[in-house]
Amino acid sequence: MDSKQKSKGSGENRVEAVGRDRLLSNVRNIGIIAHIDAGKTTTSERILFYAGRVHKLGEVHDGNTVMDWMIQEKERGITITSAATTCYWKEHQINLIDTPGHVDFTAEVERSLRVLDGAVGVFCGVGGVQPQSETVWRQASRYRVPRIAFINKMDRMGADFWRVITEMRERLGANAVPLQIPWGAEEALQGVIDLVNMEAVTFDEQTQGTEMNRVAIPDEMRAAAEAARAELVEKVAEKDETVLETYLEQGDLSADVLKAGIRRVVIANEITPVLCGSSLKNKGVQPLLDAIADFLPSPLDVPPTEGHHPKTGAVVNRKADDAAPLSALVFKLMTDPYVGRIAYLRIYSGVLKKGHNVFNPRSRQRDRIMGLMRVHADSREDIECLYSGEIGAISGIKGVTTGDTLCAENDPVELMRIRFPEPVMFMAVEPKTRADKEKLTTALQSMADEDPTCIVKLDSETGQTVISGMGELHLEILKDRMFREFKVAANTGRPMVAYQESVTEMGKGTHLFDRDLGGQRHVAGITVTVSPLKRGTGNEIKLDVTTRGLPEPYRASVESGLRDGLMTGVLSPYAVTDTLIRVTDVVLDEEFSTEVAFRTAATMALREAVMAAKPVMLEPIMALEIVTPAEYMGEVLGDVSSRRGKVNDMTAKGDLQAVHATVPLAALFGYSTAIRSLTRGRASYTMEPVQFDIVPETLQKELLNR
């Protein structure tokens, strides 16, 4: 074969194209996930440096990192958008995505995990498992992404390796198993003890950690290392029969046998190997790269991706194979001032070539691939093709949105879309002059295309344009981008809480629409029932009428009318959620029924049904963690109570106390200033949305009377 080569993987024959940089079995698609300030970007920068992708170390505090390339990221020292790159380590191709740690940008983590095969969870050796650590861990668990953990900042005062291990087991439910233990602590951190090869590893400071020295384990660490290795072998043997049999036969395990066993149980999501070090001090990152190559899965090691046939609805599986029909998922969009719209995508099967046509099942459109690129943060390298299992970007394609599938038209498939959280805050925005109106519309559309949690809509009551987001910081970044990146002169309102509506009982509504419009009679009747669903499940629409009673395209018109009604609500302009809507009866006039009539009747019947079902307003509730010195506990707890908060538990973190509470978002505006004032600047806090809950009746009356 001149352009293909046969290879074995996952127990079956498959085909790999000859032009690949690395064999598919040596490809790793991984993400770096963590709580804010755990050291994700610093770790990513070290990975790129040691892999030879960059030749100078970038530092977050200096604003010169490769992965944090946006001006807002450099100024604030945080990651806002997920950045992708490709590097090479010991015959392995590592496609790396560095994700944000701030809860306001959780959508970036969600869409990254959707297309990754493995992840590295970074934990602060001092802070341990923090609120956003739990959030990203749950996201990874939902997509069944195998993980390894890296306990960073082991050189800092208060770092405690074993406490973080305990927190991982208790708070994350992770089967955390150390592959290393630290050699030294805090400022005396010398290196790590490798439990697989049973040797100590140090990192030369003169070469920025590039040169590693492997030496015998020092006597004072020998007992701790042997105990930790015994636990490692026991944990792996519990989950892997091959390791267990070898251990029972030989009484010990070679490094190769143990590594093979660790790889199998990691890919099966049965253990989480834990490594440690200090990325800032250049200690421990090369062994982390080795662990990524040795233990995280290749595209061949994960189950085939699942989708459905766009016409028949039949389940379709696509495995990583260059000879299979094309299937790729668009997981991110961005706008480049020179290239235009760029779509990031993961190739699940087949080969995507420049100049070839692809089919989008959602839009039913065929498009030609004009530009194909390999991405390195904000820079790009033009290439001719992307192979199965790889991540890259395309340009020059129109009408594509986040979550779209690109596939072969003669063998179509629609892959599972990405589900994003609901926005919890909104902000009104208007152009300063008439000349800015078009620029504002273009800017908002571009930002909404790039960020699925940035929702733009027109308030029908006030006529204002409203943008919704995941929090105050998210809206602040959107506003900053609008001014600086898109050069729009606009006025913005203050951020406000994005409430929702729902029903508490079953309700029924019937509406008969019968009018003359434009010289034509329009007739349709709809009966709708609504009932509450569990919080967080969203809405569900069921048409409990036959296609004979409600033929196409009237069915689509009814669904469209119902969705319009859900978007506008009945008590207020906020959307209705967590509601089951059933269409139980229709009135069809063979002569005068129209799509317009059915759409309008559906909206009006839904409003009547919701009003009959005792509607209530819902508000976003935040999980709040406050870390404070013990002497300020009284003031902190009193303040939480005054904000309608509920304290769930309190735990000690060294000489500090961590308070975990749930508080309505509406009561947390300006909280950063308040907590600094209460504790003289010594406390810190993090928060994230956890649920929507019913607004107290007295507050609801106030909101509706505004």
Side-chain angles (χ1 to χ4, degrees):
M1 301 174 74
D2 55 350
S3 62
K4 306 275 186 180
Q5 58 184 353
K6 282 200 173 179
S7 187
K8 278 195 176 277
S10 301
E12 48 188 284
N13 287 324
R14 54 185 175 75
V15 175
E16 291 188 21
V18 169
R20 280 183 169 278
D21 288 336
R22 298 291 188 276
L23 289 173
L24 190 52
S25 58
N26 287 346
V27 172
R28 302 287 182 269
N29 294 310
I30 67 155
I32 309 291
I33 59 173
H35 183 89
I36 190 170
D37 284 339
K40 294 178 309 304
T41 300
T42 301
T43 303
S44 299
E45 291 292 317
R46 268 51 182 182
I47 286 174
L48 298 183
F49 177 71
Y50 295 126
R53 191 67 175 84
V54 297
H55 303 291
K56 180 183 177 183
L57 282 175
E59 304 292 0
V60 172
H61 52 267
D62 291 333
N64 61 357
T65 60
V66 172
M67 301 302 271
D68 282 352
W69 56 270
M70 289 176 66
I71 185 68
Q72 292 86 356
E73 293 176 319
K74 293 178 184 293
E75 288 177 351
R76 288 172 167 82
I78 62 171
T79 302
I80 293 170
T81 184
S82 53
T85 189
T86 298
C87 60
Y88 301 90
W89 179 256
K90 296 182 178 178
E91 301 303 316
H92 290 80
Q93 176 181 332
I94 299 175
N95 301 315
L96 172 71
I97 297 181
D98 177 31
T99 65
H102 198 286
V103 65
D104 282 20
F105 310 107
T106 187
E108 293 288 329
V109 184
E110 188 78 24
R111 59 176 160 198
S112 298
L113 287 170
R114 169 65 180 84
V115 298
L116 294 172
D117 300 323
V120 177
V122 180
F123 297 87
C124 174
V126 181
V129 174
Q130 297 166 286
Q132 190 65 6
S133 309
E134 296 183 56
T135 301
V136 297
W137 203 263
R138 285 195 303 269
Q139 288 174 299
S141 296
R142 188 161 63 248
Y143 290 112
R144 293 196 53 78
V145 175
R147 281 144 280 175
I148 57 180
F150 180 68
I151 300 179
N152 191 26
K153 303 188 180 183
M154 289 304 303
D155 61 309
R156 283 190 41 197
M157 185 177 296
D160 187 334
F161 178 79
W162 293 106
R163 176 175 56 78
V164 181
I165 294 285
T166 301
E167 288 183 1
M168 288 181 65
R169 292 169 178 171
E170 293 178 353
R171 295 181 61 177
L172 302 180
N175 188 9
V177 182
L179 300 191
Q180 298 172 346
I181 58 175
W183 178 8
E186 301 178 343
E187 290 184 357
L189 180 70
Q190 297 186 56
V192 298
I193 306 296
D194 179 351
L195 302 177
V196 176
N197 296 294
M198 285 303 281
E199 56 191 7
V201 186
T202 62
F203 305 87
D204 182 52
E205 294 181 8
Q206 300 300 316
T207 61
Q208 295 181 301
T210 302
E211 292 183 12
M212 296 188 301
N213 300 307
R214 295 184 176 271
V215 297
I217 297 173
D219 292 340
E220 69 272 16
M221 294 294 300
R222 172 64 62 177
E226 288 177 350
R229 190 177 199 274
E231 182 189 20
L232 168 62
V233 171
E234 179 185 333
K235 293 279 189 180
V236 176
E238 281 178 7
K239 304 293 183 181
D240 189 85
E241 289 187 8
T242 303
V243 169
L244 178 61
E245 289 173 5
T246 305
Y247 182 69
L248 292 175
E249 287 175 6
Q250 301 179 5
D252 196 9
L253 296 173
S254 67
D256 289 342
V257 170
L258 184 54
K259 281 167 66 175
I262 294 169
R263 178 175 178 77
R264 287 190 294 270
V265 293
V266 169
I267 290 172
N269 253 315
E270 292 183 322
I271 73 165
T272 301
V274 183
L275 298 92
C276 61
S278 169
S279 297
L280 185 64
K281 296 296 176 65
N282 309 313
K283 294 177 180 177
V285 179
Q286 295 101 313
L288 175 61
L289 272 165
D290 288 336
I292 290 168
D294 290 340
F295 306 129
L296 288 180
S298 75
L300 299 174
D301 298 312
V302 296
T305 190
E306 188 176 286
H308 64 271
H309 194 284
K311 289 185 179 179
T312 66
V315 174
V316 178
N317 289 317
R318 290 287 167 84
K319 62 182 180 180
D321 189 336
D322 289 343
L326 174 70
S327 64
L329 184 74
V330 175
F331 66 94
K332 180 180 172 70
L333 296 176
M334 67 171 288
T335 303
D336 186 277
Y338 304 105
V339 182
R341 178 182 281 192
I342 295 171
Y344 290 69
L345 74 173
R346 157 78 187 263
I347 312 296
Y348 282 97
S349 62
V351 177
L352 182 63
K353 292 186 177 180
K354 195 173 181 178
H356 279 200
N357 289 330
V358 293
F359 179 66
N360 185 337
R362 179 191 58 80
S363 63
R364 301 285 194 272
Q365 296 293 316
R366 183 194 303 119
D367 283 292
R368 190 190 256 324
I369 301 298
M370 304 304 293
L372 202 54
M373 297 161 282
R374 204 181 296 285
V375 181
H376 180 49
D378 62 333
S379 62
R380 290 165 290 277
E381 168 196 351
D382 289 331
I383 54 175
E384 291 302 313
C385 63
L386 280 170
Y387 302 97
S388 60
E390 293 192 328
I391 291 174
I394 56 175
S395 63
I397 191 166
K398 296 179 180 179
V400 69
T401 65
T402 300
D404 278 358
T405 301
L406 301 180
C407 61
E409 190 170 3
N410 61 352
D411 198 345
V413 61
E414 193 159 9
L415 302 176
M416 181 183 76
R417 296 187 73 85
I418 309 166
R419 185 178 178 185
F420 295 102
E422 291 288 331
V424 296
M425 299 190 78
F426 70 91
M427 177 176 67
V429 58
E430 60 183 22
K432 282 190 175 180
T433 67
R434 188 169 293 181
D436 288 308
K437 186 173 182 180
E438 190 174 335
K439 288 171 68 177
L440 175 62
T441 302
T442 302
L444 293 178
Q445 186 59 54
S446 293
M447 291 192 297
D449 286 345
E450 293 178 20
D451 182 355
T453 56
C454 168
I455 297 175
V456 181
K457 65 179 181 180
L458 188 69
D459 189 318
S460 57
E461 290 190 2
T462 64
Q464 288 180 311
T465 300
V466 174
I467 55 174
S468 303
M470 295 305 299
E472 286 183 273
L473 178 61
H474 188 198
L475 292 177
E476 188 182 325
I477 295 297
L478 292 172
K479 182 170 71 172
D480 192 55
R481 287 189 63 199
M482 191 167 59
F483 295 158
R484 295 164 66 170
E485 187 177 323
F486 294 96
K487 306 290 191 293
V488 176
N491 298 316
T492 58
R494 63 185 180 87
M496 300 179 72
V497 174
Y499 294 95
Q500 294 182 348
E501 293 181 25
S502 191
V503 299
T504 56
E505 295 182 358
M506 185 172 178
K508 183 177 180 180
T510 300
H511 188 85
L512 178 64
F513 184 85
D514 187 350
R515 287 189 190 172
D516 287 326
L517 299 172
Q520 180 184 350
R521 189 180 175 199
H522 298 262
V523 177
I526 296 285
T527 298
V528 169
T529 64
V530 297
S531 53
L533 291 175
K534 185 180 176 183
R535 289 280 170 266
T537 54
N539 296 317
E540 186 178 349
I541 296 174
K542 293 188 176 182
L543 303 182
D544 291 345
V545 286
T546 64
T547 51
R548 185 174 180 180
L550 182 65
E552 295 285 2
Y554 298 146
R555 299 177 80 85
S557 298
V558 169
E559 281 204 36
S560 180
L562 293 174
R563 295 194 189 282
D564 286 347
L566 291 169
M567 285 295 293
T568 54
V570 295
L571 295 175
S572 61
Y574 303 114
V576 177
T577 189
D578 301 338
T579 302
L580 172 63
I581 304 100
R582 291 181 182 273
V583 176
T584 57
D585 194 16
V586 297
V587 174
L588 174 69
D589 188 304
E590 296 288 350
E591 185 177 356
F592 296 114
S593 284
T594 63
E595 293 178 35
V596 171
F598 270 111
R599 180 169 179 161
T600 307
T603 302
M604 301 307 294
L606 175 67
R607 291 181 66 84
E608 292 179 21
V610 171
M611 285 303 293
K614 291 194 176 178
V616 292
M617 291 182 67
L618 306 176
E619 63 179 342
I621 306 295
M622 312 298 285
L624 179 68
E625 183 186 69
I626 310 154
V627 179
T628 177
E631 61 261 37
Y632 299 109
M633 279 289 285
E635 291 89 340
V636 168
L637 295 177
D639 184 66
V640 167
S641 297
S642 72
R643 296 173 185 270
R644 296 192 286 130
K646 177 185 175 184
V647 175
N648 299 319
D649 65 69
M650 294 173 283
T651 55
K653 283 199 169 185
D655 57 350
L656 301 173
Q657 291 287 324
V659 178
H660 300 92
T662 48
V663 187
L665 175 60
L668 288 171
F669 281 90
Y671 189 67
S672 57
T673 302
I675 194 69
R676 280 199 299 268
S677 176
L678 284 172
T679 63
R680 298 186 181 181
R682 294 180 63 193
S684 62
Y685 76 96
T686 55
M687 62 179 175
E688 62 171 317
V690 286
Q691 66 190 50
F692 277 78
D693 213 345
I694 296 174
V695 175
E697 190 173 346
T698 53
L699 181 58
Q700 180 171 305
K701 288 179 181 177
E702 287 180 24
L703 291 169
L704 295 177
N705 289 332
R706 282 180 183 175

